[in-house]
């Protein structure tokens, strides 16, 4: 499992108290502006274990209340306060960073999950900033075919239904 993140200033480790795993390269490019947004100029690909990713999914709850998924708003509020991971589904992006009709999972970690992410799950970190800049230059120049060939290979995650059952909207 490979996720992408933008490294910001050292004192800003978490986003609203959460560290986010964003498995979609193009969604991350949307978030960090191809590595050009202030304090998001370095783009890192973080490889984590499958066991770690699935632990986070098993212990996650949705980041927002969804009628029909949660018994009621109060139950969801208790769950979100206790859960070490949160899931939100954001629109996937195309090469121009426009939203697509389908969504990609974003996984927010806090507490125990952040410790496990840093100490147990992370098996590799690589700087993909030059790749982000190269793809962006090709997109800006109108060479979408060459840009698409450089994208990291991403496939739907082969998760068992029970792993995502409480995380679908």
């Amino acid at each position: 499992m490979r996720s992408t993140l933008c490294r910001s200033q050292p004192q800003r480790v978490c986003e609203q108290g959460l560290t986010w795993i964003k498995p979609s390269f193009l969604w991350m490019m949307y978030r960090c502006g191809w590595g050009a947004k202030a304090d998001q100029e370095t783009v890192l690909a973080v490889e984590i274990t499958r066991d770690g990713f699935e632990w986070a999914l098993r212990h996650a709850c949705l980041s927002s209340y969804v009628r029909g998924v949660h018994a009621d708003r109060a139950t969801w509020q208790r769950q979100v306060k206790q859960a070490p991971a949160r899931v939100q589904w954001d629109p996937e992006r195309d090469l121009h960073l426009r939203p697509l009709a389908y969504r990609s999972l974003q996984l927010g970690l806090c507490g125990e999950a952040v410790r496990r992410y840093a100490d147990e799950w992370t098996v590799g970190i690589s700087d993909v900033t030059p790749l982000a800049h190269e793809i962006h230059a090709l997109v800006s120049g109108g060479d979408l075919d060459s840009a698409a060939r450089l994208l990291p290979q991403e496939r739907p995650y082969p998760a068992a239904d029970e792993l995502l059952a409480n995380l679908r909207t």
Side-chain angles (χ1 to χ4, degrees):
M1 161 53 46
R2 190 170 165 158
S3 65
T4 311
L5 61 90
C6 283
R7 186 174 67 194
S8 62
Q9 298 172 357
Q11 65 270 26
R12 291 177 46 203
V13 173
C14 297
E15 183 178 324
Q16 297 179 352
L18 299 174
T19 296
W20 287 92
I21 295 174
K22 301 174 188 305
S24 162
F25 183 83
L26 286 174
W27 198 94
M28 193 64 241
M29 294 306 98
Y30 163 74
R31 175 70 174 83
C32 72
W34 296 100
K37 288 186 180 178
D39 298 327
Q40 297 184 51
E41 294 91 353
T42 302
V43 185
L44 302 175
V46 180
E47 186 177 351
I48 64 173
T49 66
R50 182 183 186 108
D51 287 343
F53 186 69
E54 291 187 357
W55 183 96
L57 290 176
R58 279 193 305 280
H59 292 85
C61 70
L62 289 171
S63 62
S64 57
Y65 172 74
V66 177
R67 183 174 297 193
V69 172
H70 303 102
D72 54 55
R73 188 173 293 276
T75 300
W76 168 76
Q77 287 173 330
R78 282 191 302 276
Q79 289 174 344
V80 81
K81 284 180 184 176
Q82 295 172 350
R86 297 179 191 151
V87 164
Q88 63 187 45
W89 296 92
D90 293 322
E92 183 53 83
R93 301 291 165 158
D94 67 11
L95 280 166
H96 291 289
L97 307 182
R98 296 175 300 217
L100 296 171
Y102 60 95
R103 295 182 173 264
S104 291
L105 177 136
Q106 314 298 324
L107 184 59
L109 308 177
C110 60
E112 178 184 3
V114 171
R115 182 194 59 74
R116 288 174 177 253
Y117 176 71
D119 297 340
E120 301 171 16
W121 304 342
T122 300
V123 295
I125 300 174
S126 55
D127 184 347
V128 294
T129 307
L131 175 64
H133 292 167
E134 183 178 1
I135 293 171
H136 183 230
L138 289 167
V139 171
S140 296
D143 191 353
L144 299 183
D145 290 337
S146 294
R149 281 192 295 276
L150 292 177
L151 288 173
Q153 185 180 17
E154 296 176 348
R155 296 175 306 279
Y157 190 77
D161 285 340
E162 65 270 6
L163 190 61
L164 297 176
N166 64 327
L167 302 175
R168 298 193 193 279
T169 57

